[in-house]
Amino acid sequence: MLSIEKAGCGGAVATGAPAATEAGAEMLRRGGTAADAAVAAALAMCVADPANASLLGRCQIVLRTQGGRFAAIDGASAIPSCLPESLGAGPLAFAGIPCLPQALEKLHAEHGRLPLAVVTAPAARLADEGFIPPRHLAAAWAQNADALAKGGAGPYLDGMQPPAHFRHGRLAMLLRAFGEKGAAAITGGETARDLAEAVRARGGYWSAEDLSANAALAGEILHSSFRDCRVTTIGRQGWGHTLVEMLSILDRLPRFSDSLTPAEACRLVTVIEACFADRPQRLGSLQPKPGGLAFETLINSDFIAARAVEIAECINENSVRVARAVPPTVKATEQKDTTHLSTLDAQGATVALTMSIGPHFGLRATDPAFGLLPAKSYRMGSDPVPNARDVTEMSPVIVTRGERVILSVGAAGSELIPGAVVQAIINVVDRGASLSEALRMPRVNVAESAVCTHDEVGPEVIALLRGRWPGLSVISGGGDHLGVVQAVGHDADGHPYGAADPAWDGTCAVVPVST
């Protein structure tokens, strides 16, 4: 069931884990900002959802201040500075240099109000006291137990089994140190030397200098529009250009109706495929792609107008008459990597933060010094340039109408992310759905060049899609996701509200203004 709360005129938090949502809500109750809530929630995610988040991970952030100014923080992981000609086969050979602590420190320093030690306390307390893994996380843990055991991720197993009650004392210690000294408590001094040595002992290539050098950067910001709304997202440090291209093309095509029709499903898939083809980099890497376009071209208004005409003609030429209902086939379960959280405070500031460590549990191996899961660097496997930063499909987005935040949103699911976020925006802006309704609506999407849909779209949509894409993958209600979305915003009355996607263990909390 979708988890949603709604009340009064306070702030809102939506995350992929109940404990992280509560950590963020605690900051709002204490009078903290959206940034305080986001940092507290992100740190708690490193405890509460180790399948998708780690203190040694990465993130991308887009935010709107109380004064309406937008900013982005690039917390990408990086490739170590010294690599051999051929990477080894050790369990941490592809460990990227983390940037999550640096990015969270930057977010708090520039936009927080509460002391960092206060913001960090819920995550440290959670790591000390522990928690019972909720349903989806427990299933992912069980699925990866053998790999975790083989890789040597001892803190994340009880013997050879997933823990019934997970706690991590060494992580609690590091979280408290972060609260006292900031990112330098992890990426500098003796801790950095111990971390680097521990990762190298397991086949990685870290140095203490690498850890201190990988700073959080001011990220590129993109502004666009969809209908009567302003859309703000990140640039080439993620997949913002692709997301903006999708929305800009769809903005030139007919508005979407109250529910997904066969023609609308075909339109969405055609646009997603076209924008993936336009992208200058191959999926899963930064390698240049033949036929890919420059990032600047993807958001050029003349190009968008011409592309919209081409796509409309393509859809019309390939229309397929619905002949009969087609029974669904269940897609095999895949890794639900990445996680997103959004926060909104009483003054209208909002943070959309997406974080990742790669596939579930990253490299499924921990450093022996602190027992943490480093993020997998996908770029090390395809384009191992020393010091280069990883680029992922992260696409955090803020949608505003005038001064009102309609959506602060993002998603998990690798290349499923932009399509899932675009459909959440369509559901709210075109269909007028509430956030809870928007995240419940069935989707179509494209993953690894395969067209996918939920079986809830109905037989007519399935038949039309299969007529054009014979390899269509249809996901049942108990099957895999098509992007896991979390979102907050203001409802039509200006009250904060939010929703968490039922495909994972996320929750939403709304905090009224104290009187």
Side-chain angles (χ1 to χ4, degrees):
M1 294 295 293
L2 189 79
S3 175
I4 180 168
E5 300 177 22
K6 181 176 176 179
C9 299
V13 181
T15 83
T21 298
E22 173 54 30
E26 180 180 332
M27 296 305 107
L28 294 178
R29 288 193 293 269
R30 285 174 171 261
T33 65
D36 291 321
V39 173
L43 291 171
M45 286 296 295
C46 295
V47 183
D49 190 4
N52 298 304
S54 168
L55 201 58
L56 301 183
R58 56 180 164 253
C59 69
Q60 293 294 338
I61 305 169
V62 63
L63 61 98
R64 179 185 185 269
T65 68
Q66 295 173 4
R69 182 175 62 86
F70 290 91
I73 297 174
D74 178 3
S77 51
I79 297 176
S81 60
C82 295
L83 298 175
E85 288 188 10
S86 178
L87 298 184
L92 296 183
F94 290 87
I97 305 297
C99 200
L100 180 71
Q102 301 92 310
L104 295 182
E105 179 184 52
K106 182 176 176 68
L107 175 62
H108 177 266
E110 295 177 356
H111 304 282
R113 178 184 298 143
L114 301 174
L116 186 58
V118 171
V119 173
T120 306
R125 185 171 62 244
L126 180 66
D128 264 338
E129 297 175 356
F131 68 98
I132 298 172
R135 181 170 68 96
H136 290 93
L137 174 60
W141 222 318
Q143 183 183 3
N144 285 274
D146 289 345
L148 290 166
K150 182 179 179 181
Y156 295 90
L157 292 174
D158 183 3
M160 298 292 288
Q161 299 298 318
H165 187 98
F166 176 68
R167 57 172 60 90
H168 198 321
R170 286 181 287 174
L171 176 54
M173 177 190 69
L174 280 181
L175 287 166
R176 290 194 175 91
F178 178 83
E180 295 172 2
K181 300 179 181 179
I186 300 166
T187 63
E190 185 177 347
T191 300
R193 291 192 295 272
D194 290 346
L195 267 174
E197 181 179 341
V199 169
R200 289 198 303 272
R202 307 214 63 200
Y205 304 99
W206 289 14
S207 70
E209 293 74 20
D210 286 340
L211 285 165
S212 62
N214 191 30
L217 305 177
E220 180 184 20
I221 301 175
L222 299 178
H223 296 290
S224 184
S225 62
F226 180 71
R227 311 309 186 203
D228 61 341
C229 296
R230 187 186 197 192
V231 176
T232 302
T233 187
I234 62 174
R236 66 197 73 207
Q237 66 268 35
W239 272 37
H241 287 85
T242 298
L243 185 141
V244 166
E245 183 190 5
M246 290 179 187
L247 284 173
S248 298
I249 291 171
L250 290 167
D251 192 41
R252 288 163 170 79
L253 299 175
R255 295 182 72 93
F256 286 82
S257 61
D258 290 344
S259 60
L260 189 68
T261 67
E264 290 172 349
C266 182
R267 185 195 317 166
L268 282 166
V269 171
T270 303
V271 169
I272 294 170
E273 283 194 324
C275 294
F276 280 6
D278 290 341
R279 191 169 174 81
Q281 300 161 344
R282 296 185 187 278
L283 296 182
S285 78
L286 292 180
Q287 292 179 320
K289 182 177 63 181
L293 304 174
F295 284 114
E296 293 75 13
T297 301
L298 301 183
I299 57 175
N300 176 273
S301 59
D302 291 337
F303 167 78
I304 292 295
R307 203 76 169 103
V309 171
E310 292 174 2
I311 287 172
E313 292 175 350
C314 175
I315 294 171
N316 291 333
E317 291 172 1
N318 290 277
S319 294
V320 178
R321 184 175 60 86
V322 177
R324 60 185 176 85
V326 180
T329 58
V330 179
K331 184 176 182 289
T333 299
E334 65 181 21
Q335 295 292 320
K336 299 179 177 69
D337 56 303
T338 317
T339 187
H340 179 82
L341 64 91
S342 288
T343 62
L344 177 73
D345 65 29
Q347 288 70 45
T350 187
V351 175
L353 188 157
T354 308
M355 54 201 300
S356 170
I357 55 174
H360 272 165
F361 297 94
L363 293 162
R364 289 101 177 206
T366 58
D367 80 276
F370 298 97
L372 303 183
L373 293 160
K376 176 181 179 179
S377 171
Y378 287 104
R379 186 167 183 177
M380 286 181 72
S382 59
D383 187 26
V385 177
N387 296 316
R389 295 168 76 88
D390 286 307
V391 173
T392 67
E393 295 89 346
M394 296 183 192
S395 307
V397 178
I398 297 170
V399 181
T400 53
R401 180 181 286 132
E403 294 302 312
R404 183 157 63 103
V405 176
I406 303 300
L407 269 171
S408 179
V409 63
S414 299
E415 66 267 27
L416 292 166
I417 291 173
V421 172
V422 162
Q423 288 171 81
I425 294 171
I426 288 168
N427 291 344
V428 171
V429 175
D430 267 11
R431 296 186 168 121
S434 69
L435 292 184
S436 58
E437 294 168 337
L439 302 195
R440 282 199 303 264
M441 290 179 175
R443 305 179 191 127
V444 296
N445 219 325
V446 178
E448 298 178 352
S449 301
V451 177
C452 314
T453 186
H454 290 127
D455 62 354
E456 295 95 331
V457 298
E460 291 189 346
V461 173
I462 291 170
L464 180 59
L465 291 176
R466 182 160 283 150
R468 182 170 178 187
W469 293 278
L472 178 72
S473 179
V474 182
I475 298 171
S476 70
D480 205 352
H481 69 83
L482 291 182
V484 179
V485 183
Q486 323 292 355
V488 299
H490 291 119
D491 66 14
D493 297 322
H495 298 156
Y497 74 143
D501 200 306
W504 194 249
D505 302 310
T507 59
C508 171
V510 174
V511 179
V513 170
S514 58
T515 58

